[in-house]
Amino acid sequence: MNKLPATFPVEISIVIPLLNEAESLPELTRWIARVLQANGLTYELILIDDGSTDDSWAVMEALAEEDATLRGIRFNRNYGKSAALNVGFEAARGRVICTMDADLQDSPEELPELYRMIVEDKYDLVSGWKQKRFDPLSKTLPTKLFNGATRWISGIQLHDFNCGLKSYDQRVVKSIEVYGEMHRYIPVIAKWNGFRKIGEKVVQHQERKYGVTKFGLERFVYGFLDLASITFVSRFRRRPMHFFGTLGSLSFFVGILLTLWVVGEKVWLSLHNLRARNVTDQPLFFLALTAVIIGVMLFLSGFLAEMVQLNGPRRNDYLVREKLN
């Protein structure tokens, strides 16, 4: 394997969000250490306690006394997996950053290959694919629907966007922000930021050994809403007028055309001494008027969004990959 550049203190940072996983942590940390040491990789282990109510933090303190590679961050309350990952990404110092779940369902045996794919194969991001899952149908079926919709909208051909086992080039995690429930869409966010070499690796999925899952079906509802949000923000954040202005102009001109049709029909019938209803008696006239009003409102929304964008402190904050001289 390629060795670490001098600018990075460690070769690989393992970021693990956790919630009430006190039973799993000793076995997990020992397993990670055994695998990475056997492969000669220098590493740091960053555990983020997302407001656990069990003894997770006490276990982390005890483990940190025995293992200098372990770093811990504790939230005052539960903020969610995205918040934990974002804080972990900020703290990570490795050449490669890997994420995994703390429930022992992700195998640390995958970490060396995930690291190699970033360093040697030059992937920006590698996502795990749990081809064989040990989850109930109530979890696997919505996951398949979610992955299919995400592939269709994003154009990223991954089988398992929600797999917690992933590896990243450090440039990726240092240039993106994860919030809300956006951790499922890190590949999408990375792509919109110009990191397009995204790979996939089939990984082992273990049966849960301790505790119960912390996620319910509501996460899939929130997931689709977040997908719509990140798609819109990523495409139109710097040019909102392109979105609102296009829809507004289309609605406005459809309304004008309908108005001209209604008025023109009235004039034509009158000129030929045919009976014609009043313009205001026709439902089509009110549809045309509504379309014109909606068009104007959308155009104004785009104009106001442009004004907000122009006055934003990060309006010219662009990701620069490299510089010369």
Side-chain angles (χ1 to χ4, degrees), residues 111-325:
L111 295 173
E113 178 62 14
L114 288 171
Y115 171 84
R116 189 201 64 78
M117 292 177 73
I118 297 294
V119 174
E120 295 185 6
D121 295 343
K122 304 301 181 184
Y123 282 100
D124 295 316
L125 184 159
V126 179
S127 179
W129 173 21
K130 298 173 182 175
Q131 197 170 28
K132 181 179 180 182
R133 302 182 66 99
F134 293 93
D135 289 323
L137 187 63
S138 60
K139 187 175 180 180
T140 56
L141 183 59
T143 296
K144 288 184 178 180
L145 295 174
F146 160 79
N147 286 321
T150 307
R151 277 195 300 272
W152 177 67
I153 292 174
S154 68
I156 302 173
Q157 298 305 308
L158 295 179
H159 290 85
D160 192 357
F161 285 85
N162 200 37
C163 179
L165 192 55
K166 291 183 173 68
S167 62
Y168 309 85
D169 188 289
Q170 195 197 61
R171 294 178 298 110
V172 176
V173 303
K174 297 301 183 182
S175 59
I176 64 174
E177 182 180 3
V178 191
Y179 58 92
E181 295 293 321
M182 296 298 185
H183 60 274
R184 303 178 183 89
Y185 303 111
I186 294 180
V188 181
I189 299 171
K191 180 184 176 183
W192 293 132
N193 278 277
F195 300 103
R196 296 183 177 275
K197 191 168 183 182
I198 298 173
E200 186 172 57
K201 180 186 183 303
V202 175
V203 297
Q204 302 175 48
H205 187 224
Q206 319 290 321
E207 291 190 58
R208 174 176 277 276
K209 193 171 182 179
Y210 305 105
V212 295
T213 182
K214 311 302 188 300
F215 302 103
L217 290 176
E218 71 278 0
R219 69 181 181 139
F220 295 105
V221 177
Y222 300 151
F224 285 113
L225 295 176
D226 286 333
L227 179 59
S229 175
I230 194 60
T231 300
F232 173 79
V233 171
S234 298
R235 292 184 176 179
F236 301 105
R237 179 181 60 186
R238 298 191 186 277
R239 50 184 193 281
M241 179 57 89
H242 288 193
F243 178 78
F244 292 106
T246 300
L247 292 180
S249 298
L250 181 63
S251 179
F252 181 82
F253 284 115
V254 167
I256 291 295
L257 289 174
L258 290 176
T259 302
L260 292 175
W261 172 269
V262 172
V263 173
E265 182 186 40
K266 169 73 174 179
V267 172
W268 188 86
L269 291 174
S270 298
L271 289 175
H272 290 79
N273 296 317
L274 299 174
R275 183 180 178 184
R277 291 186 299 171
N278 291 330
V279 170
T280 54
D281 289 339
Q282 299 190 50
L284 194 60
F285 171 75
F286 293 99
L287 289 175
L289 185 62
T290 301
V292 170
I293 293 173
I294 291 175
V296 172
M297 292 178 65
L298 284 171
F299 190 87
L300 289 176
S301 297
F303 176 75
L304 292 174
E306 285 283 339
M307 295 297 291
V308 171
Q309 171 64 19
L310 287 172
N311 287 280
R314 300 184 63 185
R315 62 186 179 275
N316 285 317
D317 186 10
Y318 305 110
L319 176 60
V320 177
R321 180 164 182 165
E322 292 180 273
K323 289 184 178 181
L324 291 174
N325 298 326

